[in-house]
Amino acid sequence: MSMFWGLCMKPNRKYTQTIVKSFHISGAALDDGSSAKLYITADKNKYIVATLNKAMPQVPLDLNFCKGDKIMFQTTGDANVSLIGYLHDSDLSDDEDYDDDEYAALADKLQKKGAEKESDEDEDESDEEEEDDDKLAAEYSSFLEGDESGEEEEDDSEDDDEEGEEEEDEESDDEDTPKAKKAKIAESAKKPAKEQNGVSKGDQKQQQQQQQKSKKDKKAAAPEAKKEQPKAKDNKQQSAGERTIAGGVKIQDLSAGTGPEAKQGKRVSVYYTGRLKSNNKTFDSMQKGNGFKFALGGGEVIKGWDVGVVGMKVGGKRRITCPAHMAYGARGHPPTIPPNSTLVFDVELKAVH
């Protein structure tokens, strides 16, 4: 249920606040005195909201203010003014509005995690195969250690450098090799080079270098594949193009305009189609003539439009998704718009006056 909200304003006083809970002003009434004017300052713009006197002591209003907005009320004249309205019960409705989006985002996130997990498992399997190849290479290269120790003086300095690097790789691989396998390798290393699988010493060196080179190429390719995955995610997010602005309003530019830009305080003309997000049913549309004209930021339309149209250029098209508290709130707009409805508008900016 909505809770009552009220404010008694003394003559020629200013009341400034940063809103902590969204509320709606339903009317203003003249109290003691003969006349008064009511002003509201929002987004650095000052607006006259009502003129009260004895002939018109009370006027109805339909103003919505959102959490986080900074506003100022001010009166002029010799009379006290009473503002009445109610607090939005938008905490629950906002949660309901965003449930579908949150669930969709969560499902998408879980799917991405599953894809990453599968790719990690494939990489782990390839790493295990590489480790098996490395162990075989270590076994194969260890056959050379016994015979090469007596022939090191015959090799030139370049061969010595290559053997030093190869021995370091072999030592790291040997640490993972079981002790029983090391014993077999030591025994086989004592045999002459010609008896080892019928392969000469020069051929063994060449095969060992090729195996190590292929190993390094595989390890270098793995991190590059991982880096490409987040790039694909970024491209997907950029293609969506939807962003959230003040009051939870979401905007998405369908096509960019090239004419004058719509700014606060300007009068603009638009074509539009409005539909309910819940069932995609169209409740209002204007696509002919001079379009719908209003003062941007003047409170003549729902607040979602006042913030959502800002920044458009003539000829551009934009999709504006307005949560309930930035549209018609808990009351709705019977019979076409139910209470607590999220509305989606496709807007084309026709002119800036």
Side-chain angles (χ1 to χ4, degrees):
M1 294 179 63
S2 300
M3 296 181 62
F4 174 80
W5 177 92
L7 175 63
C8 294
M9 302 179 61
K10 294 183 179 180
N12 301 306
R13 295 286 296 274
K14 295 180 180 180
Y15 298 82
T16 302
Q17 64 172 316
T18 299
I19 299 173
V20 296
K21 186 173 179 62
S22 302
F23 67 94
H24 174 270
I25 296 179
S26 304
L30 191 70
D31 199 351
D32 296 333
S34 59
S35 65
K37 289 185 177 181
L38 174 63
Y39 297 87
I40 292 179
T41 300
D43 296 329
K44 299 181 180 180
N45 294 315
K46 186 176 180 179
Y47 311 98
I48 182 169
V49 177
T51 300
L52 304 170
N53 50 47
K54 291 185 177 180
M56 186 180 292
Q58 186 171 357
V59 295
L61 299 174
D62 186 9
L63 302 176
N64 290 288
F65 299 93
C66 300
K67 180 179 179 181
D69 290 347
K70 186 174 182 179
I71 60 174
M72 181 178 72
F73 298 104
Q74 180 183 2
T75 61
T76 59
D78 61 354
N80 293 337
V81 175
S82 295
L83 298 179
I84 59 173
Y86 57 86
L87 297 174
H88 284 306
D89 52 351
S90 58
D91 294 338
L92 178 59
S93 63
D94 288 350
D95 291 341
E96 293 173 353
D97 290 337
Y98 287 105
D99 278 347
D100 294 340
D101 295 340
E102 290 175 354
Y103 290 145
L106 180 59
D108 186 49
K109 186 176 180 181
L110 290 174
Q111 289 177 355
K112 291 178 181 177
K113 284 187 176 179
E116 291 176 356
K117 186 175 179 181
E118 290 177 359
S119 64
D120 290 339
E121 290 177 355
D122 294 338
E123 291 174 2
D124 292 339
E125 292 177 359
S126 63
D127 290 340
E128 290 176 359
E129 293 175 358
E130 290 175 7
E131 289 177 2
D132 292 337
D133 293 339
D134 294 341
K135 290 179 181 179
L136 292 173
E139 292 177 10
Y140 199 77
S141 61
S142 64
F143 295 156
L144 307 177
E145 292 176 357
D147 294 332
E148 287 179 358
S149 61
E151 298 175 358
E152 288 178 352
E153 296 178 357
E154 297 177 1
D155 297 333
D156 55 19
S157 58
E158 294 180 357
D159 291 337
D160 292 338
D161 293 338
E162 292 176 357
E163 288 175 1
E165 294 176 357
E166 293 168 0
E167 287 174 0
E168 290 177 359
D169 293 337
E170 290 167 5
E171 288 175 1
S172 61
D173 293 335
D174 288 341
E175 291 177 0
D176 299 331
T177 306
K179 294 182 180 179
K181 192 174 289 187
K182 282 186 178 180
K184 293 181 180 180
I185 292 172
E187 291 178 0
S188 61
K190 295 179 182 179
K191 296 181 180 180
K194 294 182 180 180
E195 297 179 3
Q196 294 175 9
N197 299 327
V199 181
S200 67
K201 178 179 177 181
D203 293 338
Q204 290 174 348
K205 279 187 178 182
Q206 186 176 2
Q207 291 177 0
Q208 181 181 357
Q209 291 175 358
Q210 291 176 353
Q211 289 174 352
Q212 290 178 350
K213 184 177 180 180
S214 63
K215 173 186 172 182
K216 291 179 180 178
D217 292 340
K218 288 181 181 179
K219 290 184 177 180
E224 291 178 357
K226 291 182 179 179
K227 290 179 181 178
E228 291 176 359
Q229 291 179 357
K231 287 182 180 179
K233 295 178 184 177
D234 293 340
N235 292 337
K236 185 176 181 181
Q237 293 174 355
Q238 291 175 0
S239 63
E242 187 178 66
R243 61 187 189 277
T244 302
I245 57 175
V249 176
K250 295 182 179 180
I251 60 175
Q252 181 181 6
D253 288 316
L254 304 179
S255 63
T258 57
E261 182 177 347
K263 298 180 179 180
Q264 290 282 354
K266 295 284 188 180
R267 293 192 68 81
V268 298
S269 297
V270 299
Y271 284 171
Y272 69 91
T273 299
R275 51 192 172 85
L276 302 175
K277 183 180 179 182
S278 58
N279 58 13
N280 210 33
K281 182 179 180 181
T282 299
F283 60 84
D284 194 10
S285 178
M286 178 176 287
Q287 300 291 335
K288 296 180 179 180
N290 295 326
F292 177 69
K293 184 185 294 185
F294 65 98
L296 190 57
E300 298 179 4
V301 293
I302 61 175
K303 192 153 184 128
W305 271 36
D306 271 341
V307 299
V309 176
V310 173
M312 292 184 67
K313 293 184 177 181
V314 173
K317 295 182 180 180
R318 178 176 289 181
R319 179 163 294 159
I320 305 173
T321 303
C322 304
H325 67 276
M326 296 295 283
Y328 293 97
R331 294 187 306 167
H333 195 280
T336 55
I337 301 176
N340 297 320
S341 293
T342 296
L343 308 181
V344 180
F345 295 92
D346 290 333
V347 178
E348 179 181 357
L349 184 61
K350 302 297 293 182
V352 176
H353 307 285

